[in-house]
Amino acid sequence: MSESKFGKGKEHLEKEFLEELSHKIWSTKGARFNASTRYYTISKYSNISNAFLSSYLTIFGLITVYNLYTEALIDPNVLAFLITAISIISLVFSLLESSEQYSLKGKEYHDCALDLADLYNELRNFKAYKKDVTEKEKMEFVDDLQKRYQLVLRKYPNHNNIDKRRFRMEYKEYYKITDCFEPYKTNIFYYLKSKFLYHLLIVLPILCLIFLISLNNEKSNQEKSNPKSKTIYK
């Protein structure tokens, strides 16, 4: 992102290293909390979409039982094949989603954010209450805190860029964001990364079901209004 959008984002680099480290811990902590929230959200919608997909398979299976389709529109064998294929795809999707362990990843990012919060609180206490410290004591504190900060980062996976962008949107006055469209772009990108696929999986099958039933009803009404079309001449 350009410096014009985040004019204040690098001001901490012009201060002493203690301020730079403080900003690093603070911003990383916020990004990791956002990553935790994003993965918990993905886990929630993943479970919901899997439940809906399972129910849709049962519902689509009932189409053949109650003859809610017209053979002129779709061949019974084709319909049976589609239901079987969707069942296999749904099973594979469910296995892939389970292997991602979104809830566990959310917990890891949350734990990481809590570890960083401890470091940040320690740094804030040092700055607030230890005024009469020598430069040597300050350097020893900063060196120790930096090492522990790096250890925390090594323990956990890195967050996604969207998590950092959302953090900046939460403090857009601090970062002096000048692009008025940036919050909207960030929210859209966040939605595509977290909810879009699952909303699509929930809504699309029911739309297809409504479409098939509507076509069947339309075909049935046409046959009722023109009974001669069903007459078979021997």
mmCIF file with all atom_site columns, all heavy atoms in Angstrom, residues 197-210:
data_model
loop_
_atom_site.group_PDB
_atom_site.id
_atom_site.type_symbol
_atom_site.label_atom_id
_atom_site.label_alt_id
_atom_site.label_comp_id
_atom_site.label_asym_id
_atom_site.label_entity_id
_atom_site.label_seq_id
_atom_site.pdbx_PDB_ins_code
_atom_site.Cartn_x
_atom_site.Cartn_y
_atom_site.Cartn_z
_atom_site.occupancy
_atom_site.B_iso_or_equiv
_atom_site.pdbx_formal_charge
_atom_site.auth_seq_id
_atom_site.auth_comp_id
_atom_site.auth_asym_id
_atom_site.auth_atom_id
_atom_site.pdbx_PDB_model_num
ATOM 1   N N   . LEU A 1 197 ? -17.515 -18.022 -0.078 1.00 0.00 ? 197 LEU A N   1
ATOM 2   C CA  . LEU A 1 197 ? -17.654 -19.403 -0.540 1.00 0.00 ? 197 LEU A CA  1
ATOM 3   C C   . LEU A 1 197 ? -18.778 -20.114 0.194  1.00 0.00 ? 197 LEU A C   1
ATOM 4   O O   . LEU A 1 197 ? -19.597 -20.820 -0.420 1.00 0.00 ? 197 LEU A O   1
ATOM 5   C CB  . LEU A 1 197 ? -16.336 -20.153 -0.343 1.00 0.00 ? 197 LEU A CB  1
ATOM 6   C CG  . LEU A 1 197 ? -16.373 -21.662 -0.640 1.00 0.00 ? 197 LEU A CG  1
ATOM 7   C CD1 . LEU A 1 197 ? -16.714 -21.914 -2.100 1.00 0.00 ? 197 LEU A CD1 1
ATOM 8   C CD2 . LEU A 1 197 ? -15.048 -22.313 -0.277 1.00 0.00 ? 197 LEU A CD2 1
ATOM 9   N N   . TYR A 1 198 ? -18.871 -19.920 1.495  1.00 0.00 ? 198 TYR A N   1
ATOM 10  C CA  . TYR A 1 198 ? -19.865 -20.631 2.288  1.00 0.00 ? 198 TYR A CA  1
ATOM 11  C C   . TYR A 1 198 ? -21.269 -20.088 2.051  1.00 0.00 ? 198 TYR A C   1
ATOM 12  O O   . TYR A 1 198 ? -22.237 -20.858 2.026  1.00 0.00 ? 198 TYR A O   1
ATOM 13  C CB  . TYR A 1 198 ? -19.485 -20.554 3.771  1.00 0.00 ? 198 TYR A CB  1
ATOM 14  C CG  . TYR A 1 198 ? -18.083 -21.060 4.006  1.00 0.00 ? 198 TYR A CG  1
ATOM 15  C CD1 . TYR A 1 198 ? -17.044 -20.190 4.311  1.00 0.00 ? 198 TYR A CD1 1
ATOM 16  C CD2 . TYR A 1 198 ? -17.784 -22.413 3.877  1.00 0.00 ? 198 TYR A CD2 1
ATOM 17  C CE1 . TYR A 1 198 ? -15.751 -20.657 4.499  1.00 0.00 ? 198 TYR A CE1 1
ATOM 18  C CE2 . TYR A 1 198 ? -16.494 -22.883 4.065  1.00 0.00 ? 198 TYR A CE2 1
ATOM 19  C CZ  . TYR A 1 198 ? -15.491 -21.999 4.372  1.00 0.00 ? 198 TYR A CZ  1
ATOM 20  O OH  . TYR A 1 198 ? -14.216 -22.474 4.550  1.00 0.00 ? 198 TYR A OH  1
ATOM 21  N N   . HIS A 1 199 ? -21.393 -18.783 1.875  1.00 0.00 ? 199 HIS A N   1
ATOM 22  C CA  . HIS A 1 199 ? -22.687 -18.224 1.515  1.00 0.00 ? 199 HIS A CA  1
ATOM 23  C C   . HIS A 1 199 ? -23.149 -18.759 0.163  1.00 0.00 ? 199 HIS A C   1
ATOM 24  O O   . HIS A 1 199 ? -24.333 -19.052 -0.040 1.00 0.00 ? 199 HIS A O   1
ATOM 25  C CB  . HIS A 1 199 ? -22.607 -16.698 1.467  1.00 0.00 ? 199 HIS A CB  1
ATOM 26  C CG  . HIS A 1 199 ? -22.630 -16.073 2.826  1.00 0.00 ? 199 HIS A CG  1
ATOM 27  N ND1 . HIS A 1 199 ? -22.277 -14.757 3.057  1.00 0.00 ? 199 HIS A ND1 1
ATOM 28  C CD2 . HIS A 1 199 ? -22.957 -16.584 4.046  1.00 0.00 ? 199 HIS A CD2 1
ATOM 29  C CE1 . HIS A 1 199 ? -22.395 -14.485 4.344  1.00 0.00 ? 199 HIS A CE1 1
ATOM 30  N NE2 . HIS A 1 199 ? -22.806 -15.576 4.958  1.00 0.00 ? 199 HIS A NE2 1
ATOM 31  N N   . LEU A 1 200 ? -22.206 -18.895 -0.761 1.00 0.00 ? 200 LEU A N   1
ATOM 32  C CA  . LEU A 1 200 ? -22.528 -19.432 -2.084 1.00 0.00 ? 200 LEU A CA  1
ATOM 33  C C   . LEU A 1 200 ? -23.014 -20.879 -1.976 1.00 0.00 ? 200 LEU A C   1
ATOM 34  O O   . LEU A 1 200 ? -23.996 -21.265 -2.620 1.00 0.00 ? 200 LEU A O   1
ATOM 35  C CB  . LEU A 1 200 ? -21.304 -19.351 -2.987 1.00 0.00 ? 200 LEU A CB  1
ATOM 36  C CG  . LEU A 1 200 ? -21.502 -19.734 -4.466 1.00 0.00 ? 200 LEU A CG  1
ATOM 37  C CD1 . LEU A 1 200 ? -22.430 -18.735 -5.137 1.00 0.00 ? 200 LEU A CD1 1
ATOM 38  C CD2 . LEU A 1 200 ? -20.161 -19.774 -5.184 1.00 0.00 ? 200 LEU A CD2 1
ATOM 39  N N   . LEU A 1 201 ? -22.335 -21.680 -1.161 1.00 0.00 ? 201 LEU A N   1
ATOM 40  C CA  . LEU A 1 201 ? -22.717 -23.080 -0.988 1.00 0.00 ? 201 LEU A CA  1
ATOM 41  C C   . LEU A 1 201 ? -24.070 -23.228 -0.292 1.00 0.00 ? 201 LEU A C   1
ATOM 42  O O   . LEU A 1 201 ? -24.778 -24.213 -0.505 1.00 0.00 ? 201 LEU A O   1
ATOM 43  C CB  . LEU A 1 201 ? -21.648 -23.822 -0.177 1.00 0.00 ? 201 LEU A CB  1
ATOM 44  C CG  . LEU A 1 201 ? -20.303 -24.022 -0.867 1.00 0.00 ? 201 LEU A CG  1
ATOM 45  C CD1 . LEU A 1 201 ? -19.296 -24.631 0.102  1.00 0.00 ? 201 LEU A CD1 1
ATOM 46  C CD2 . LEU A 1 201 ? -20.450 -24.914 -2.099 1.00 0.00 ? 201 LEU A CD2 1
ATOM 47  N N   . ILE A 1 202 ? -24.427 -22.264 0.534  1.00 0.00 ? 202 ILE A N   1
ATOM 48  C CA  . ILE A 1 202 ? -25.711 -22.312 1.229  1.00 0.00 ? 202 ILE A CA  1
ATOM 49  C C   . ILE A 1 202 ? -26.851 -21.865 0.315  1.00 0.00 ? 202 ILE A C   1
ATOM 50  O O   . ILE A 1 202 ? -27.928 -22.476 0.309  1.00 0.00 ? 202 ILE A O   1
ATOM 51  C CB  . ILE A 1 202 ? -25.663 -21.430 2.500  1.00 0.00 ? 202 ILE A CB  1
ATOM 52  C CG1 . ILE A 1 202 ? -24.709 -22.045 3.529  1.00 0.00 ? 202 ILE A CG1 1
ATOM 53  C CG2 . ILE A 1 202 ? -27.050 -21.261 3.103  1.00 0.00 ? 202 ILE A CG2 1
ATOM 54  C CD1 . ILE A 1 202 ? -24.443 -21.150 4.723  1.00 0.00 ? 202 ILE A CD1 1
ATOM 55  N N   . VAL A 1 203 ? -26.619 -20.827 -0.474 1.00 0.00 ? 203 VAL A N   1
ATOM 56  C CA  . VAL A 1 203 ? -27.695 -20.214 -1.264 1.00 0.00 ? 203 VAL A CA  1
ATOM 57  C C   . VAL A 1 203 ? -27.877 -20.891 -2.619 1.00 0.00 ? 203 VAL A C   1
ATOM 58  O O   . VAL A 1 203 ? -29.018 -21.118 -3.066 1.00 0.00 ? 203 VAL A O   1
ATOM 59  C CB  . VAL A 1 203 ? -27.411 -18.707 -1.458 1.00 0.00 ? 203 VAL A CB  1
ATOM 60  C CG1 . VAL A 1 203 ? -28.440 -18.079 -2.391 1.00 0.00 ? 203 VAL A CG1 1
ATOM 61  C CG2 . VAL A 1 203 ? -27.420 -18.004 -0.111 1.00 0.00 ? 203 VAL A CG2 1
ATOM 62  N N   . LEU A 1 204 ? -26.782 -21.240 -3.304 1.00 0.00 ? 204 LEU A N   1
ATOM 63  C CA  . LEU A 1 204 ? -26.877 -21.740 -4.678 1.00 0.00 ? 204 LEU A CA  1
ATOM 64  C C   . LEU A 1 204 ? -27.720 -23.012 -4.811 1.00 0.00 ? 204 LEU A C   1
ATOM 65  O O   . LEU A 1 204 ? -28.576 -23.088 -5.713 1.00 0.00 ? 204 LEU A O   1
ATOM 66  C CB  . LEU A 1 204 ? -25.470 -21.966 -5.235 1.00 0.00 ? 204 LEU A CB  1
ATOM 67  C CG  . LEU A 1 204 ? -25.387 -22.343 -6.726 1.00 0.00 ? 204 LEU A CG  1
ATOM 68  C CD1 . LEU A 1 204 ? -26.012 -21.245 -7.577 1.00 0.00 ? 204 LEU A CD1 1
ATOM 69  C CD2 . LEU A 1 204 ? -23.940 -22.575 -7.136 1.00 0.00 ? 204 LEU A CD2 1
ATOM 70  N N   . PRO A 1 205 ? -27.544 -24.043 -3.969 1.00 0.00 ? 205 PRO A N   1
ATOM 71  C CA  . PRO A 1 205 ? -28.367 -25.253 -4.127 1.00 0.00 ? 205 PRO A CA  1
ATOM 72  C C   . PRO A 1 205 ? -29.861 -25.002 -3.983 1.00 0.00 ? 205 PRO A C   1
ATOM 73  O O   . PRO A 1 205 ? -30.662 -25.576 -4.727 1.00 0.00 ? 205 PRO A O   1
ATOM 74  C CB  . PRO A 1 205 ? -27.852 -26.179 -3.020 1.00 0.00 ? 205 PRO A CB  1
ATOM 75  C CG  . PRO A 1 205 ? -26.465 -25.721 -2.764 1.00 0.00 ? 205 PRO A CG  1
ATOM 76  C CD  . PRO A 1 205 ? -26.516 -24.243 -2.934 1.00 0.00 ? 205 PRO A CD  1
ATOM 77  N N   . ILE A 1 206 ? -30.246 -24.154 -3.031 1.00 0.00 ? 206 ILE A N   1
ATOM 78  C CA  . ILE A 1 206 ? -31.677 -23.891 -2.846 1.00 0.00 ? 206 ILE A CA  1
ATOM 79  C C   . ILE A 1 206 ? -32.250 -23.129 -4.030 1.00 0.00 ? 206 ILE A C   1
ATOM 80  O O   . ILE A 1 206 ? -33.407 -23.330 -4.424 1.00 0.00 ? 206 ILE A O   1
ATOM 81  C CB  . ILE A 1 206 ? -31.918 -23.125 -1.521 1.00 0.00 ? 206 ILE A CB  1
ATOM 82  C CG1 . ILE A 1 206 ? -33.387 -23.189 -1.122 1.00 0.00 ? 206 ILE A CG1 1
ATOM 83  C CG2 . ILE A 1 206 ? -31.449 -21.692 -1.619 1.00 0.00 ? 206 ILE A CG2 1
ATOM 84  C CD1 . ILE A 1 206 ? -33.891 -24.556 -0.788 1.00 0.00 ? 206 ILE A CD1 1
ATOM 85  N N   . LEU A 1 207 ? -31.430 -22.264 -4.649 1.00 0.00 ? 207 LEU A N   1
ATOM 86  C CA  . LEU A 1 207 ? -31.881 -21.573 -5.865 1.00 0.00 ? 207 LEU A CA  1
ATOM 87  C C   . LEU A 1 207 ? -32.071 -22.564 -7.008 1.00 0.00 ? 207 LEU A C   1
ATOM 88  O O   . LEU A 1 207 ? -33.037 -22.466 -7.777 1.00 0.00 ? 207 LEU A O   1
ATOM 89  C CB  . LEU A 1 207 ? -30.876 -20.493 -6.258 1.00 0.00 ? 207 LEU A CB  1
ATOM 90  C CG  . LEU A 1 207 ? -30.739 -19.297 -5.307 1.00 0.00 ? 207 LEU A CG  1
ATOM 91  C CD1 . LEU A 1 207 ? -29.680 -18.320 -5.827 1.00 0.00 ? 207 LEU A CD1 1
ATOM 92  C CD2 . LEU A 1 207 ? -32.079 -18.583 -5.149 1.00 0.00 ? 207 LEU A CD2 1
ATOM 93  N N   . CYS A 1 208 ? -31.153 -23.529 -7.119 1.00 0.00 ? 208 CYS A N   1
ATOM 94  C CA  . CYS A 1 208 ? -31.292 -24.568 -8.150 1.00 0.00 ? 208 CYS A CA  1
ATOM 95  C C   . CYS A 1 208 ? -32.542 -25.414 -7.906 1.00 0.00 ? 208 CYS A C   1
ATOM 96  O O   . CYS A 1 208 ? -33.260 -25.778 -8.851 1.00 0.00 ? 208 CYS A O   1
ATOM 97  C CB  . CYS A 1 208 ? -30.060 -25.475 -8.155 1.00 0.00 ? 208 CYS A CB  1
ATOM 98  S SG  . CYS A 1 208 ? -28.542 -24.661 -8.685 1.00 0.00 ? 208 CYS A SG  1
ATOM 99  N N   . LEU A 1 209 ? -32.820 -25.723 -6.642 1.00 0.00 ? 209 LEU A N   1
ATOM 100 C CA  . LEU A 1 209 ? -34.004 -26.517 -6.301 1.00 0.00 ? 209 LEU A CA  1
ATOM 101 C C   . LEU A 1 209 ? -35.275 -25.764 -6.661 1.00 0.00 ? 209 LEU A C   1
ATOM 102 O O   . LEU A 1 209 ? -36.208 -26.342 -7.251 1.00 0.00 ? 209 LEU A O   1
ATOM 103 C CB  . LEU A 1 209 ? -33.990 -26.857 -4.812 1.00 0.00 ? 209 LEU A CB  1
ATOM 104 C CG  . LEU A 1 209 ? -35.162 -27.674 -4.279 1.00 0.00 ? 209 LEU A CG  1
ATOM 105 C CD1 . LEU A 1 209 ? -35.203 -29.047 -4.952 1.00 0.00 ? 209 LEU A CD1 1
ATOM 106 C CD2 . LEU A 1 209 ? -35.074 -27.825 -2.765 1.00 0.00 ? 209 LEU A CD2 1
ATOM 107 N N   . ILE A 1 210 ? -35.314 -24.492 -6.307 1.00 0.00 ? 210 ILE A N   1
ATOM 108 C CA  . ILE A 1 210 ? -36.485 -23.668 -6.650 1.00 0.00 ? 210 ILE A CA  1
ATOM 109 C C   . ILE A 1 210 ? -36.661 -23.588 -8.155 1.00 0.00 ? 210 ILE A C   1
ATOM 110 O O   . ILE A 1 210 ? -37.787 -23.659 -8.682 1.00 0.00 ? 210 ILE A O   1
ATOM 111 C CB  . ILE A 1 210 ? -36.341 -22.260 -6.033 1.00 0.00 ? 210 ILE A CB  1
ATOM 112 C CG1 . ILE A 1 210 ? -36.391 -22.352 -4.509 1.00 0.00 ? 210 ILE A CG1 1
ATOM 113 C CG2 . ILE A 1 210 ? -37.423 -21.330 -6.550 1.00 0.00 ? 210 ILE A CG2 1
ATOM 114 C CD1 . ILE A 1 210 ? -36.088 -21.037 -3.807 1.00 0.00 ? 210 ILE A CD1 1
#
